[in-house]
Amino acid sequence: MEIDYRKELNKSQYEAVTTTEGPVLILAGAGTGKTRCMVYRVAYLIEKGVSPNNILLLTFTNKAANEMKQRAADMLDERCSQITACTYHSFCAKMLRKYSQLIGIQSDYTIIDPGDCADIISIIEAEHGIDKVKDFPRSSQLVSAHSKALNTNQSLEDALFDMLGKWKYMKIERFIPDIKKILADYQSYKKQNNMMDYDDLLINFISVLKRNPSVKNKLADIYQYIMIDEYQDSNYLQEKIIFMLREKNRNLAVVGDDYQCIYGFRGSMVENIINFPQKMSGCKVVYLTQNYRSNQEIMDLSNIVMKKHSLEGFFKKLVATHVANIQPLLVRSEDEGEEASYILNKIMALHDEEEIPYHEICVLERSSYHSVRLEALLNKMKIPYDKYGGMKFFDYDHIKNFLCFLRCQINPHDEIAWFRLLKLFDGIGNVYARNIAATCKTLGLEGLVQHKYIKRKFQPDLENLKSFIEKLNDQDFQIELQSIKSFYSRLMDITLMLMKTSEKKRRELARANKQAIRDFDTLIEMADGYDSPVTFLEEIMLEASPQKEEEEDRMVISTIHSAKGLEFHSVFVMNCVDTMFPSTDKDQIGTVEDNEELRCFYVAITRAKERLFLMAPKYIAKFGCVEEGIISHFISDVFQVKE
């Protein structure tokens, strides 16, 4: 089936799709059909005769990669589903399974997540005797700072300064030598235990390419056409990998929008997309500016704000397909309580009078605590909603613990997994857990039944745990998961029974246990189709976000960072006042922080299709005091319509 690309695409999209040779930067403004271009580009290459094996598509979620492959296959044929499409980390993990031995790393390495990294650092801190030193950064902060330093090619000191701010950094500056020693021991620990964190996947693959030119050339020959989605979110290491694979063959298409680079806090570098034409000589730049999402009134606002305030990047004047004759509103409530009441009443009017489904209504916030008053009102009125931007599924302790059963089965020497599991048993605290886990690191399962613990009340639990893990090896994977669910559920019930606490707290914990069991069922459903715990663990470590099934009609409350890529008929943006949203003020115009806040604001307002409400309370509560709410300096000089 041949596709009529000129008919299906607008002029700019057609140019982006059919420019296949050499480097091309596709600057896709919000709602301009970025994903559509990538899908058609895959189909176009294959129709031209390019083998699916020669196409590499890198995205930031495996879900996005799979959806693009499927859309292209539905449009053309099954060849499109045979391309390599995945995240950077998944691609590097796949390559390292093949080539890691070339740099002295065993191919059966374990991938660890940030929670595991923090646990390792906590153990190392305890060994150094500084786990309880006043003002010493938390282990999770060290993980974040270390990762950002690697991903942005900056010093650890600079990364800590950026993360903590000037005053907190001054408090911990004296600990820098200790921090560097801990991080060096952390690196050694991972190497000794054949572990890699997410950054190691990138760094070690770079090492493979550097030290083995033949491998680099082989991969460059295989992947003759590389496409990268959301390039504005790439970091130093990711760009380095791509450029190493394109030293000779320069067929590289990157698509993104510098205005939507909002993940600087985790290493994204907007300069990657801004400087791409200079780094790739002969690069063609294609602008996508026809917006298919919002009305012209919303586009006019976004165009004016970015033209007035953006001090870097590529200006893109977006044009909508329709005019609504409804202007975005700037709403000046008296305070945050009145702000919440206004939003509630407007949501009810949109739903009841204008028949807008709840799922087409979204409230956006810069920080997740901004919506506390609104959530109380929604609960009181029994209006259903989902909240995005809180804790992720695989960050919950009970899910991490569940997976540790699998990890200990696969690798009985996994000290970090044992450390988590052992603390689930009555009588085992941090000290015993650390000591027993260290023994298991050396002896494996036999470390659970050492003679020195024979008089401890938890010894029968250790023997039971050893027997349980051994039995898992003889079970089918799905039966294995059900066994873990049963074992862990009984353990939670026993813990609750033995706990000395109030009846109110006991009821809360009982409810939490029931929710945990429901989450276990979700996890087991996710594992359907996998035949081994090894492949399942690797997949979820690199893509840790289960997809929810469609439920009842529910509105959305979301942080802006969690709403990227989404769209809604009606959008409310909360607390559009300086120092709230943006978190900066007019004295910081031109700073890195203010530029990122501007991009966050652009992302927020371009989520709206038809109705946009910018909330700006006259008074706000901060740090226990009431302050005047000064309208965001991004809109104070451009907004005419107020309510």
Side-chain angles (χ1 to χ4, degrees):
M1 178 181 68
E2 288 191 2
I3 299 170
D4 188 341
Y5 293 93
R6 288 190 182 276
K7 181 180 178 182
E8 295 294 328
L9 305 168
N10 66 38
K11 185 177 179 181
S12 296
Q13 289 174 336
Y14 179 81
E15 185 179 15
V17 166
T18 58
T19 302
T20 59
E21 307 305 306
V24 57
L25 168 61
I26 304 165
L27 290 166
T32 57
K34 167 184 68 68
T35 302
R36 183 179 179 84
C37 275
M38 298 293 275
V39 169
Y40 273 86
R41 208 169 195 279
V42 169
Y44 183 80
L45 284 169
I46 289 177
E47 272 204 303
K48 271 183 59 179
V50 176
S51 168
N53 296 329
N54 298 138
I55 300 173
L56 173 62
L57 170 59
L58 293 177
T59 67
F60 278 85
T61 68
N62 285 322
K63 177 175 179 285
N66 291 331
E67 286 179 353
M68 287 187 200
K69 283 199 298 184
Q70 190 56 53
R71 282 177 58 180
D74 291 343
M75 189 170 63
L76 186 63
D77 57 48
E78 276 305 308
R79 288 176 296 169
C80 297
S81 64
Q82 296 165 15
I83 70 168
T84 300
C86 56
T87 65
Y88 289 91
H89 293 98
S90 294
F91 179 69
C92 290
K94 179 182 176 182
M95 294 299 104
L96 287 169
R97 293 295 181 198
K98 291 183 179 180
Y99 301 115
S100 64
Q101 291 178 330
L102 295 175
I103 56 171
I105 297 174
Q106 298 174 31
S107 61
D108 61 345
Y109 59 83
T110 299
I111 300 173
I112 56 175
D113 68 12
D116 297 323
C117 302
D119 286 341
I120 294 171
I121 287 177
S122 294
I123 290 173
I124 294 169
E125 286 175 346
E127 291 173 352
H128 283 270
I130 56 175
D131 52 326
K132 295 180 181 178
V133 174
K134 184 181 178 183
D135 293 330
F136 198 83
R138 298 191 306 275
S139 56
S140 59
Q141 290 178 317
L142 296 187
V143 171
S144 296
H146 180 57
S147 178
K148 186 171 183 183
L150 294 172
N151 283 300
T152 57
N153 195 32
Q154 64 178 161
S155 68
L156 177 66
E157 291 88 339
D158 287 343
L160 281 165
F161 186 93
D162 290 346
M163 185 176 72
L164 298 174
K166 178 180 178 180
W167 302 114
K168 288 184 179 179
Y169 179 79
M170 288 172 64
K171 282 187 175 183
I172 65 98
E173 192 171 11
R174 68 185 188 276
F175 297 126
I176 293 296
D178 298 305
I179 291 171
K180 289 184 175 180
K181 178 67 170 67
I182 286 169
L183 290 175
D185 289 351
Y186 165 66
Q187 294 297 108
S188 298
Y189 182 98
K190 288 184 295 178
K191 190 171 183 180
Q192 291 166 8
N193 291 278
N194 200 27
M195 294 176 170
M196 289 194 208
D197 60 29
Y198 296 159
D199 301 325
D200 293 327
L201 294 173
L202 304 178
I203 291 167
N204 288 329
F205 183 50
I206 289 172
S207 182
V208 167
L209 298 177
K210 271 186 177 179
R211 291 160 58 178
N212 299 276
S214 61
V215 172
K216 180 177 67 174
N217 293 334
K218 178 182 177 181
L219 293 176
D221 288 341
I222 291 172
Y223 299 111
Q224 296 174 18
Y225 295 87
I226 298 180
M227 294 181 282
I228 304 178
D229 191 23
E230 304 284 12
Y231 193 66
Q232 76 281 349
D233 294 331
S234 63
N235 61 40
Y236 168 77
L237 295 175
Q238 290 162 344
E239 183 178 73
K240 191 168 186 175
I241 289 168
I242 298 307
F243 278 30
M244 290 178 78
L245 292 175
R246 294 293 83 168
E247 288 176 357
K248 294 181 180 178
N249 175 341
R250 290 162 51 80
N251 296 334
L252 173 61
V254 302
V255 60
D257 182 5
D258 50 302
Y259 286 178
Q260 296 187 67
C261 178
I262 61 173
Y263 298 114
F265 63 93
R266 67 185 187 200
S268 297
M269 299 174 66
V270 69
E271 52 265 39
N272 283 1
I273 192 169
I274 291 174
N275 297 331
F276 184 80
Q278 286 73 48
K279 291 181 179 179
M280 292 293 285
S281 60
C283 173
K284 184 173 188 175
V285 180
V286 179
Y287 286 80
L288 303 185
T289 57
Q290 177 65 67
N291 178 281
Y292 295 95
R293 175 187 299 156
S294 308
N295 59 46
Q296 189 59 51
E297 289 82 355
I298 293 171
M299 288 297 91
D300 287 343
L301 176 62
S302 69
N303 289 335
I304 292 170
V305 167
M306 298 310 288
K307 189 169 185 178
K308 277 180 171 283
H309 296 284
S310 181
L311 303 177
E312 58 187 359
F314 307 90
F315 176 67
K316 296 166 284 294
K317 184 176 181 180
L318 302 185
V319 180
T321 58
H322 67 290
V323 174
N325 295 316
I326 301 175
Q327 293 289 338
L329 288 179
L330 174 62
V331 182
R332 288 290 270 164
S333 59
E334 189 66 21
D335 55 26
E336 292 166 274
E338 190 177 289
E339 174 188 43
S341 296
Y342 177 94
I343 295 174
L344 172 72
N345 292 330
K346 188 61 71 172
I347 288 171
M348 293 170 66
L350 287 166
H351 182 264
D352 298 340
E353 298 170 18
E354 299 185 36
E355 298 184 346
I356 306 301
Y358 281 132
H359 69 264
E360 281 285 353
I361 301 172
C362 178
V363 177
L364 293 177
E365 54 189 348
R366 181 63 180 84
S367 299
S368 60
Y369 68 86
H370 287 182
S371 60
V372 171
R373 292 178 180 84
L374 175 62
E375 289 180 62
L377 294 176
L378 292 171
N379 286 323
K380 184 177 180 181
M381 299 304 296
K382 295 183 169 52
I383 294 176
Y385 68 92
D386 286 323
K387 187 167 185 179
Y388 302 157
M391 188 174 284
K392 302 296 188 291
F393 182 77
F394 284 95
D395 289 335
Y396 286 110
D397 280 341
H398 57 275
I399 295 298
K400 294 175 78 70
N401 295 336
F402 189 108
L403 296 175
C404 280
F405 284 100
L406 292 177
R407 287 173 54 178
C408 290
Q409 177 223 341
I410 295 168
N411 177 13
H413 302 276
D414 187 336
E415 182 180 12
I416 302 307
W418 284 122
F419 181 68
R420 288 191 69 93
L421 277 190
L422 289 164
K423 290 191 292 182
L424 299 177
F425 293 91
D426 185 48
I428 302 181
N430 281 339
V431 175
Y432 276 126
R434 187 162 60 242
N435 292 338
I436 299 170
T439 307
C440 290
K441 175 185 173 184
T442 303
L443 302 177
L445 282 169
E446 294 304 315
L448 296 174
V449 289
Q450 292 303 292
H451 186 266
K452 59 183 174 181
Y453 302 120
I454 200 165
K455 293 184 179 180
R456 299 293 175 186
K457 69 175 184 178
F458 53 73
Q459 180 59 25
D461 291 326
L462 296 183
E463 292 175 354
N464 189 26
L465 178 60
K466 177 178 181 290
S467 175
F468 175 70
I469 297 292
E470 287 173 335
K471 288 176 182 176
L472 291 179
N473 289 314
D474 301 323
Q475 295 178 348
D476 175 82
F477 183 39
Q478 283 295 322
I479 296 173
E480 183 182 332
L481 293 172
Q482 292 291 347
S483 298
I484 294 172
K485 174 189 169 185
S486 298
F487 185 93
Y488 190 8
S489 299
R490 286 196 302 273
L491 187 56
M492 290 191 299
D493 290 340
I494 292 169
T495 302
L496 182 59
M497 183 178 66
L498 296 174
M499 189 175 291
K500 295 178 180 179
T501 187
S502 67
E503 278 305 309
K504 180 181 178 182
K505 183 67 174 176
R506 192 176 297 278
R507 287 194 297 271
E508 290 176 358
L509 291 171
R511 284 195 295 271
N513 285 354
K514 288 181 180 178
Q515 180 58 51
I517 292 169
R518 287 193 289 270
D519 289 343
F520 297 158
D521 288 333
T522 299
L523 184 65
I524 291 168
E525 287 175 17
M526 291 174 63
D528 187 36
Y530 291 88
D531 57 6
S532 94
V534 176
T535 54
F536 177 61
L537 278 176
E538 179 162 314
E539 184 72 19
I540 62 175
M541 280 291 181
L542 296 174
E543 189 64 55
S545 54
Q547 300 306 309
K548 295 176 66 176
E549 294 182 6
E550 289 297 322
E551 299 175 353
E552 63 178 314
D553 185 26
R554 305 166 73 87
M555 61 158 290
V556 170
I557 298 175
S558 176
T559 60
I560 292 153
H561 289 90
S562 296
K564 192 157 169 280
L566 303 179
E567 58 183 44
F568 304 89
H569 176 278
S570 300
V571 170
F572 300 82
V573 184
M574 298 191 75
N575 295 336
C576 296
V577 295
D578 280 352
T579 72
M580 294 284 277
F581 185 33
S583 62
T584 51
D585 59 33
K586 63 181 181 180
D587 292 333
Q588 294 170 277
I589 290 174
T591 62
V592 171
E593 293 78 14
D594 195 59
N595 289 339
E596 180 130 341
E597 290 292 315
L598 175 63
R599 295 193 293 269
C600 280
F601 185 71
Y602 173 82
V603 168
I605 62 179
T606 55
R607 299 312 92 197
K609 294 190 284 189
E610 298 297 336
R611 303 291 296 276
L612 177 62
F613 304 86
L614 303 180
M615 310 301 300
K618 295 177 183 176
Y619 296 96
I620 55 174
K622 288 192 70 180
F623 309 113
C625 301
V626 176
E627 298 179 3
E628 182 183 357
I630 300 171
I631 296 174
S632 162
H633 58 279
F634 299 146
I635 54 175
S636 58
D637 58 346
V638 302
F639 231 100
Q640 301 300 320
V641 181
K642 300 181 183 181
E643 181 173 292

